[in-house]
Amino acid sequence: MKNVVGYVRISSASQIDNTSIEVQIEKIQMYCSLHNLNLVKIYKDEGISPKNTDRPNYQDMMEFLGSEESNVDGIVVYKNDRLHRSLYDLLGMIKQLKEFKVDLVSITEMFDTSTAQGMLFLQMLGSFSEFERQLIVERTKSGRLAKGEKKLYPGGKIAFGYNLVDEHLTINYDEAEIVKDIFKMRCKGITYTKIAQKYSMSKQRVCYILKNRLYLGKYKYEGKVEKNKIGFDVPRIITSYTFTKANKIE
């Protein structure tokens, strides 16, 4: 009987496609039972994107498979995108597994990497997953641009001091008073630490507020990857004079 481990993952977006953690575990257990495989352990990452390998249980699994203590012959997953959506990352993992002499089995796609056909099919599926991910990026970019052109908030966390009403940024007056006071205190030379203590927030958050040019009434979104270059006017909270003075204090 071959020893295998299972890997399951879910992100908030994947809950809508009937691949819950429970469903994945059930399918893996059933597959192992039908194919006379000894399921040693199931590694589980919840609420984590597959964009990179910075996933605690994924890392634990790979570390274990590469260790001398491992007697595992394969990994069983419900679907290959539970591991990686990026073809580059997926093939990199397969190469590493080959060094460990560990095969990969995907239940839904009906392949395993112990065969040449399985490897070919894996690369094809990986290509489609990568294509799908790029389409999502393009749709997101187009959606942000469309909203930006209409001067609508394109998405993301709302800055302290503002509310989002009908996709427009409006002033949250209670929070805006705190923002104004933070700038005034800094203009007087009061340290980030003391300001943070007054409002029970982190020093880093105080610094972020003081550097945020949104309070000048100018919203800009570049996007490190998307390069959207969205910009439009929003209600101002801080004057240019106060902003400049607060940020000149050493």
Side-chain angles (χ1 to χ4, degrees):
M1 180 180 289
K2 288 186 176 181
N3 294 321
V4 298
V5 296
Y7 179 78
V8 296
R9 180 195 59 77
I10 193 168
S11 60
S12 57
S14 65
Q15 292 174 0
I16 62 173
D17 64 3
N18 197 31
T19 55
S20 69
I21 288 290
E22 292 75 17
V23 168
Q24 293 176 59
I25 291 175
E26 181 183 351
K27 297 294 184 182
I28 289 171
Q29 290 173 335
M30 187 181 300
Y31 180 90
C32 291
S33 177
L34 289 172
H35 291 82
N36 198 32
L37 299 173
N38 179 34
L39 184 58
V40 177
K41 181 176 181 178
I42 294 181
Y43 291 88
K44 176 172 62 176
D45 283 312
E46 297 187 64
I48 299 179
S49 168
K51 290 182 180 179
N52 55 52
T53 59
D54 189 19
R55 295 171 254 156
N57 287 295
Y58 174 90
Q59 293 289 353
D60 287 347
M61 177 181 70
M62 295 302 289
E63 184 177 344
F64 171 67
L65 294 177
S67 69
E68 294 181 358
E69 293 78 20
S70 172
N71 61 344
V72 172
D73 303 295
I75 302 174
V76 180
V77 295
Y78 174 74
K79 196 175 179 182
N80 84 87
D81 65 4
R82 298 303 89 193
L83 290 164
H84 294 288
R85 285 193 183 274
S86 163
L87 175 60
Y88 177 84
D89 291 336
L90 187 60
L91 294 181
M93 177 191 181
I94 297 300
K95 182 179 179 181
Q96 192 174 11
L97 290 178
K98 285 297 179 185
E99 294 173 0
F100 300 158
K101 297 181 179 180
V102 173
D103 294 314
L104 172 64
V105 177
S106 171
I107 299 171
T108 306
E109 285 97 359
M110 295 295 290
F111 71 82
D112 73 76
T113 59
S114 62
T115 67
Q117 296 92 334
M119 281 297 295
L120 176 61
F121 192 43
L122 173 68
Q123 292 177 25
M124 291 170 62
L125 289 170
S127 296
F128 283 118
S129 292
E130 178 105 332
F131 176 67
E132 181 183 17
R133 188 177 67 84
Q134 291 298 328
L135 279 179
I136 292 171
V137 170
E138 287 299 318
R139 290 185 190 124
T140 302
K141 179 179 179 180
S142 299
R144 290 187 189 277
L145 283 170
K147 283 190 174 184
E149 289 172 359
K150 296 177 182 178
K151 302 188 186 304
L152 301 175
Y153 191 67
K157 187 176 181 180
I158 309 302
F160 186 78
Y162 289 94
N163 290 325
L164 188 63
V165 178
D166 296 328
E167 298 189 86
H168 289 87
L169 285 178
T170 61
I171 293 178
N172 178 318
Y173 289 97
D174 290 337
E175 292 180 356
E177 287 303 313
I178 295 174
V179 172
K180 290 177 183 178
D181 192 45
I182 287 173
F183 274 89
K184 288 177 183 176
M185 291 174 72
R186 188 57 185 158
C187 286
K188 294 176 181 177
I190 298 173
T191 65
Y192 294 145
T193 301
K194 288 186 178 180
I195 297 172
Q197 288 172 348
K198 178 177 178 180
Y199 288 109
S200 299
M201 60 176 65
S202 69
K203 179 180 173 181
Q204 289 75 18
R205 190 178 188 191
V206 170
C207 183
Y208 177 78
I209 288 173
L210 290 166
K211 302 290 183 184
N212 194 346
R213 302 187 70 84
L214 178 66
Y215 299 121
L216 293 172
K218 300 290 182 182
Y219 176 84
K220 287 187 179 181
Y221 178 78
E222 281 285 344
K224 292 181 180 179
V225 177
E226 298 174 1
K227 302 296 182 184
N228 286 328
K229 295 184 179 179
I230 295 172
F232 50 84
D233 292 339
V234 299
R236 176 194 288 261
I237 293 177
I238 300 297
T239 66
S240 298
Y241 173 80
T242 300
F243 186 91
T244 302
K245 184 177 179 180
N247 282 282
K248 278 186 176 180
I249 302 295
E250 296 294 335

